[in-house]
Amino acid sequence: MLVTNDTIQGGSAVIDQGNDIRWLSWTGMETHMIYNLGMDLPDFASFPLLETEQGRALLRKLYGDQIAVAQETGCGVCLESVTWMANADRAAALGYDAERLERVNRDAIDFLKELEAEIPVCISGQIGPRGDGYEAGEMTKDAAQAYHTRQIAVLAGAGCDMISAFTIGSVDEAIGMVRAAAVVGVPITVALTVETDGRLPDGTNLNDAITRIDAATSDGVSGYLVNCAHPDHLVLEEAGARLSGLVVNASRLSHAELDEAEELDDGNPDELGQQIGDLARKYPQMRVFGGCCGTDMRHLRAIGCGVHG
């Protein structure tokens, strides 16, 4: 039986200041599978694993490991669906038509509901940018809203607690995503990514990006995260107090360097956990912490211990 936190209502508990839960998230599953497990994930997509029993068994093991580490370190667990790549453009290259794509998005949420846990659980319907997360893209706000509405609606209809938009490098695309979630009627968190200079790929600094998104969506974002960046790349003097969490890379490499890397740079898990712990104490409103590219259970354990240190 899946045991969830009774206070979760549409994912709002993830950033609820009324409890002391720290949520452990993991968006580094794909790099772990490719580099540590030696798997081939065409176009970096993990959602096709839901199509086979072997794939489901592997996902069950990896999610189970994340749940175990969260329990060990006193955290709740935020389970991200394997749907970051499961949008129309990216899935088309893998042979998915609209009907099959909707089915796999629903299956991703149903799969998470079947997992067992004895700690608070939040089921997050994860979406990603239309194009490369390391590039700004050229979508207008209206085009982004129209494009992302269907996937958001399918994930929400399947019963996720919230939508999480990860590795977003464009303010306009983020605005469209938030507006789409508002139309569907589901809470959304937005995880912006930054380059080594602390700016989004579209050149906007983090604080200005948040300000612009809030202004254009009537404060429609449930919480802001930063993901797919090392703590050394974060400039939080202005934006830090507005963030709900950090899901960080193990590596200090730039996005361009990571794209070209043939070997995994897994950084220093203990150092990473200490850095996140320091930031958690500096910005106590943060609730979500975890690992992105290059991370595995060593990093998650260090981060979980760090935020409770």
Side-chain angles (χ1 to χ4, degrees):
M1 177 180 179
L2 180 68
V3 181
T4 60
N5 182 357
D6 291 338
T7 67
I8 291 180
Q9 297 179 358
S12 61
V14 172
I15 56 170
D16 185 0
Q17 300 297 307
N19 63 55
D20 292 328
I21 298 174
R22 299 297 183 269
W23 300 88
L24 198 62
S25 176
W26 190 34
T27 58
M29 186 180 291
E30 287 80 5
T31 56
H32 174 66
M33 288 190 282
I34 292 169
Y35 290 99
N36 293 334
L37 302 184
M39 295 177 59
D40 180 24
L41 293 183
D43 292 337
F44 207 70
S46 53
F47 65 86
L49 293 172
L50 292 166
E51 307 268 38
T52 68
E53 285 305 315
Q54 182 180 9
R56 284 174 171 257
L58 174 61
L59 291 174
R60 196 172 294 112
K61 167 67 165 58
L62 295 177
Y63 281 122
D65 289 345
Q66 180 189 352
I67 291 168
V69 170
Q71 183 169 4
E72 174 189 336
T73 57
C75 297
V77 66
C78 189
L79 299 177
E80 299 291 342
S81 63
V82 290
T83 49
W84 183 72
M85 291 282 292
N87 62 39
D89 285 16
R90 292 185 163 195
L94 299 172
Y96 282 75
D97 60 17
E99 181 179 355
R100 188 181 178 197
L101 184 59
E102 287 191 12
R103 184 176 69 250
V104 80
N105 273 278
R106 288 193 299 270
D107 287 349
I109 301 302
D110 290 340
F111 179 82
L112 294 180
K113 291 179 179 179
E114 297 172 358
L115 299 177
E116 297 182 354
E118 297 179 355
I119 56 175
V121 172
C122 179
I123 293 178
S124 170
Q126 184 182 181
I127 64 174
R130 182 176 186 173
D132 191 327
Y134 293 163
E135 297 180 1
E138 298 180 354
M139 296 191 78
T140 65
K141 305 176 187 69
D142 290 344
Q145 178 179 339
Y147 182 81
H148 290 289
T149 294
R150 188 56 194 161
Q151 185 184 16
I152 290 174
V154 171
L155 293 169
C160 65
D161 291 313
M162 66 178 185
I163 298 295
S164 292
F166 270 93
T167 323
I168 309 305
S170 163
V171 170
D172 284 350
E173 186 165 14
I175 290 170
M177 289 171 153
V178 176
R179 289 176 175 173
V183 170
V184 173
V186 62
I188 184 170
T189 63
V190 174
L192 301 167
T193 191
V194 297
E195 303 290 350
T196 55
D197 62 0
R199 292 178 176 270
L200 275 65
D202 71 1
T204 312
N205 74 46
L206 190 58
N207 189 64
D208 288 347
I210 293 172
T211 298
R212 287 173 54 191
I213 296 167
D214 280 345
T217 63
S218 301
D219 297 328
V221 179
S222 295
Y224 289 98
L225 312 178
V226 178
N227 86 293
C228 209
H230 190 273
D232 285 0
H233 303 160
L234 306 180
V235 182
L236 300 184
E237 281 72 11
E238 290 183 298
R242 306 178 69 187
L243 294 178
S244 300
L246 304 169
V247 181
V248 295
N249 283 354
S251 174
R252 289 179 166 87
L253 295 177
S254 69
H255 290 156
E257 290 170 325
L258 288 173
D259 262 347
E260 297 297 324
E262 296 183 0
E263 295 183 359
L264 184 68
D265 179 2
D266 60 1
N268 183 324
D270 291 336
E271 178 189 46
L272 191 69
Q274 182 177 343
Q275 286 180 290
I276 295 302
D278 290 343
L279 289 169
R281 284 179 284 280
K282 183 175 182 180
Y283 301 104
Q285 86 285 349
M286 290 188 186
R287 289 292 183 269
V288 184
F289 302 93
C292 196
C293 297
T295 61
D296 55 38
M297 294 307 112
R298 296 171 300 151
H299 303 82
L300 291 191
R301 184 173 290 105
I303 289 169
C305 291
V307 301
H308 285 111

